Amino acid sequence: PEKNDTESGSQRIRPVFEEDPVFRRQTSYQHAAVHIPTDIYEGSTIVLNELNWTAALDDVFKRNREEDPTLLWQVFGSATGLARYYPASPWVDKSRTPNKIDLYDVRRRPWYIQGAASPKDMLILVDASGSVSGLTLKLIRTSVIEMLETLSDDDFVNVVSFNNNAQNVSCFNHLVQANVRNKKKLKEAVYKISAKGITDYKKGFSYAFEQLLNHSVSRANCNKIIMLFTDGGEERAQEIFHKYNEDKKVRVFTFSVGQHNYDKGPIQWMACENKGYYYEIPSIGAIRINTQEYLDVLGRPMVLAGEKAKQVQWTNVYLDALELGLVITGTLPVFNLTKEQNGKINQLILGVMGVDVSLEDIKKLTPRFTLCPNGYYFAIDPNGYVLLHPNLQPKQIGVGIPKVKLRKRRPNVQNPKSQEPVTLDFLDAELENDIKVEIRKKMIDGESGEKTFETLVKSQDERYIDKGNRTYTWTAVNGTDYSLALVLPSYSFYYIKAKIEEPITQARYSETLKLDHFDEAGYTFIAPREYCNDVKKSENNTEFLLNFNEFIDRNTPSSPSCNTDMVIRVLLDAGFTNELAQNYWSKLSLDGVVAQFVVTDGGITRVFPKRAGEDWLENAETYEVSFYKRSLDNDNYIFTAPYYNKSGANSYETGIMVSKAVEITINGKLLKPAVVGIKIDATSWMENFTKTTIKSLCNSEICGCERNSMHVDCVILDDGGFLLMSNRDEYTQQIGRFFGEIDPGLMRNLINMSLYAFNKSYDYQSVCDPEEEPKQGAGLRSAYVPTITDILHLGWWASAAAWSILQQLFLSLTFPRFLEAADMEDDDFSAALPKTSCITEQTQYFFENDDKSFGGIVDCINCSRLYHAEKISNTNLVFIISDSQLLCRSCDPKPLMQAEKPETDEGPNPCEMVKQPRYRKGPDVCFDEAKQ
């Protein structure tokens, strides 16, 4: 076994490590490796004994791997803290982290805690009398915090302190779920405990039993425990135990903390009389070991239950210590059933076996590219936490969002070896509504069902909110307590299963992907999907295209290493988009249009002319492109504001995008296989805009939207409230900025008039480095701006004509089979670990209703401004004309911010949330009765 230190031992095996593509690190399949926690002496007889008997596991691990070569880490975590894992792999790379202390202890890992004992209702009782001062109080605080670390989301807990009276240390007045947020709140409260008064054990224990016996709140309903931390005392409080714990249903564990010479008898008696255990914590070194030993006692009922307890339990999602990314683990407890010489049977839990399943591998089994970009799968566990969900991703900084004023990241803050489970509730992963609350409950209860309803959907770039119809279909996953759901919009019940019969057509289509073809057909991007195993994926799109072309030139799409459907689909899209570029786009010369583009479901993005493609910033993976996904959910023309960048780079120069989904109906089935659009130059649009809205031969002061008029402000906003157009030159620099920051008074009015509604949500997986990331805003829609009408009439028919050719080629439409295998793209989670994770609050704005016209007055202290707003039909825009902001300076100047901002108090208040806890279900079996 390989030990995690460097001194040479006579027994050292030096495995030959090889780079392993599956684990993306060095491994050796000849050996298992052993990790021993830093605070345990590895020469002790206990450790040597463990090393000796666990060595037999190596053969078991190898046999398992022969039977199932796809197995990932196999680990045995022992109750003494030793972890044996296979295949062997170096534990830490000393060169990367020379000064890090290795704090890993297998008994603190989420999978070990969930596997080693049934769920617990734990009340921690802290002696806060005057005698507990100085070092003893410090030791007690640290011990309680370590004790909280031994709890998982299946457990419930509260902390109570007592002296002459007993009181809750935090705002929680009953047991609460031991999730990350609640434990954090309790830890903060424990730090504030101060010592005074005298010790009254009767008061303390009465209060503790009352809380444990309160069945009106949600709780684990399994092992019930009181943990007493004290410096010792005289009384035994017998009558309290007699009153509340006659049947010994509640175990009492007692901890004598600090160095003192009080009589230990009474508190030892309390533990032994109440099926518990007595521990001493004289110094800081004894804390970790003594606060987890109680799990051995709680494990006994499992040992006695024998076969019944041998059920695989599945854990929440957490980050793998050896860098596999997000995993779930199947666990089984391991028991010692040997007889001692006197004939007594041992009742010890020896440890927990665990086998990891990587979420990436599960994703690979769920199809993605037949679901359309707005369709997805998700799965949830009995706590309502998601384990597969497109929004479950420890946050990276968004693609295409300018990185403004990044604070220096704090290195090594989040170390996966000591990381909390990644818990994201389904209702926090999506925008919550009553129907989703009901679906979540049914999924937790293991029911199957289907429901179609309208829901709010946050856009990929998190700036907009759309209303979309979604059909949720869900069912329980056999053999586990997870439940799986498929979510589809109405236009993706069917997908295109393309066929290209003649090799000649195929060759002609693949020809259009060649780089030398870009001049005539526009710049082409291809989504980096796993089309064929032999095509090397690359971040650089040109390189990936070359690899793809080279492969297709030498092989046919039906080559065994390829996903034939995907390859044919991408070639077919290449053919159609080429036709669009050559037959239509090249013949149109349009004033003020910087680029024409088409983005397809099959993974092709074509931008015409070629020079416009060279500055294209959108993601080549079309399933990740925000305007593409929004266009599918909206029937109108979607105008997308550029990202507003406060650092002075002129974001408006990138142009304003206008896009619309192509709809085709085949045999009455609606499909949206692509989105077409143009990019318009903001400056020339503005010139047109001011020209066409000025009445000719006008003599009065106010003649429509004159450029830089003293009297009127004219603006066009999109449905997210971002500025797209204005008659003021100084606003041009601010195209893409949220209007509430530009004209707060008017924006507040538009919200009060119900032109805009907004939605606040919390993002629980944020990274707090960008201080000022532009995200989200608000919008309105049907004005008399002829230039917009011109844009809308622009050859859109042409794209419809090109797609109509499809109709002759579609020989088969197939329904996406639930759970058929297709490759998922490969996310590298390890690179995206948040450095300082935090909760941020977001607000997105959207049109509240379908009313077209709005008007009103912005009232200020000594002046007022009239305004009129019209939604522009068939678009997501609103045109607003108002008295100039210059004429009325006394309005509330406080900007209305919309961007994501870190929450000062870490998101919604846990004190409020525990009053109405979300539905959850604990494990079906409970082992809590130890028959002596």
Side-chain angles (χ1 to χ4, degrees), residues 111 114 154 311-317 328-332 355-357 362 381-382 387 478-482 923:
W111 63 271
Q114 278 177 294
D154 288 336
Q311 297 182 5
V312 176
Q313 295 248 6
W314 288 92
T315 65
N316 295 326
V317 181
I328 52 176
T329 301
T331 63
L332 260 182
V355 174
D356 286 351
V357 179
I362 302 181
D381 71 9
L387 58 146
N478 289 343
T480 71
D481 43 17
Y482 299 130

Side-chain angles (χ1 to χ4, degrees), residues 905-926:
D905 59 352
E906 287 292 299
N909 184 349
C911 305
E912 292 304 313
M913 289 185 73
V914 297
K915 291 179 185 165
Q916 291 169 320
R918 287 171 171 163
Y919 180 73
R920 63 177 290 281
K921 202 168 86 176
D924 296 332
V925 284
C926 166

Side-chain angles (χ1 to χ4, degrees), residues 705-779:
C705 293
E706 273 180 296
R707 192 158 183 174
N708 296 321
S709 152
M710 286 296 295
H711 303 281
V712 286
D713 287 350
C714 298
V715 292
I716 290 182
L717 309 181
D718 68 11
D719 57 341
F722 297 104
L723 177 71
L724 285 184
M725 177 55 53
S726 159
N727 63 334
R728 314 205 84 73
D729 284 349
E730 77 255 30
Y731 284 3
T732 311
Q733 305 291 330
Q734 305 196 44
I735 285 182
R737 191 174 187 184
F738 179 58
F739 194 58
E741 295 175 46
I742 300 169
D743 191 341
L746 181 51
M747 188 67 200
R748 286 194 172 90
N749 238 298
L750 298 176
I751 296 166
N752 294 341
M753 292 288 298
S754 298
L755 194 149
Y756 283 108
F758 61 88
N759 184 80
K760 265 192 171 45
S761 59
Y762 293 103
D763 180 347
Y764 291 99
Q765 316 173 78
S766 276
V767 202
C768 287
D769 358 54
E771 274 183 296
E772 306 179 298
E773 234 182 70
K775 290 251 183 153
Q776 312 78 273

Side-chain angles (χ1 to χ4, degrees), residues 209-383:
F209 278 115
E210 288 292 342
Q211 275 204 23
L212 274 179
L213 299 172
N214 174 5
H215 286 279
S216 64
V217 294
S218 73
R219 40 187 292 169
N221 288 323
C222 193
N223 288 291
K224 295 181 196 54
I225 311 167
I226 294 176
M227 296 282 179
L228 170 71
F229 289 90
T230 178
D231 57 353
E234 299 305 314
E235 60 171 338
R236 297 189 172 194
Q238 276 150 303
E239 62 271 38
I240 303 294
F241 295 115
H242 187 70
K243 175 180 173 188
Y244 289 103
N245 206 26
E246 188 76 50
D247 53 2
K248 310 267 192 290
K249 281 277 170 52
V250 178
R251 292 177 187 267
V252 178
F253 291 83
T254 55
F255 296 83
S256 165
V257 186
Q259 296 184 343
H260 43 71
N261 42 19
Y262 298 128
D263 178 11
K264 303 187 177 100
I267 58 174
Q268 227 168 342
W269 175 88
M270 290 175 189
C272 300
E273 268 303 295
N274 292 280
K275 281 191 177 170
Y277 213 83
Y278 163 77
Y279 302 96
E280 289 180 17
I281 300 182
S283 65
I284 200 121
I287 292 179
R288 265 170 83 93
I289 292 174
N290 284 322
T291 49
Q292 59 199 18
E293 296 260 303
Y294 79 93
L295 287 171
D296 295 349
V297 180
L298 293 194
R300 281 181 196 158
M302 282 174 120
V303 184
L304 296 170
E307 283 308 303
K308 262 207 290 246
K310 287 223 156 93
Q311 297 182 5
V312 176
Q313 295 248 6
W314 288 92
T315 65
N316 295 326
V317 181
Y318 66 96
L319 274 161
D320 176 49
L322 291 168
E323 293 156 2
L324 262 186
L326 293 177
V327 294
I328 52 176
T329 301
T331 63
L332 260 182
V334 179
F335 309 135
N336 178 0
L337 298 173
T338 54
K339 280 194 176 169
E340 304 210 340
Q341 281 148 348
N342 58 11
K344 273 182 75 174
I345 294 182
N346 271 301
Q347 294 180 10
L348 281 182
I349 182 159
L350 288 172
V352 178
M353 266 302 302
V355 174
D356 286 351
V357 179
S358 147
L359 288 197
E360 276 310 296
D361 288 355
I362 302 181
K363 278 184 173 180
K364 286 186 173 144
L365 298 172
T366 57
R368 178 179 188 197
F369 297 112
T370 52
L371 293 186
C372 108
N374 289 324
Y376 56 92
Y377 282 95
F378 70 88
I380 66 177
D381 71 9
N383 278 308

Side-chain angles (χ1 to χ4, degrees), residues 197 343 424 447 506 557 671 721:
L424 178 66
E447 297 174 22
Q506 186 187 309
L671 290 170

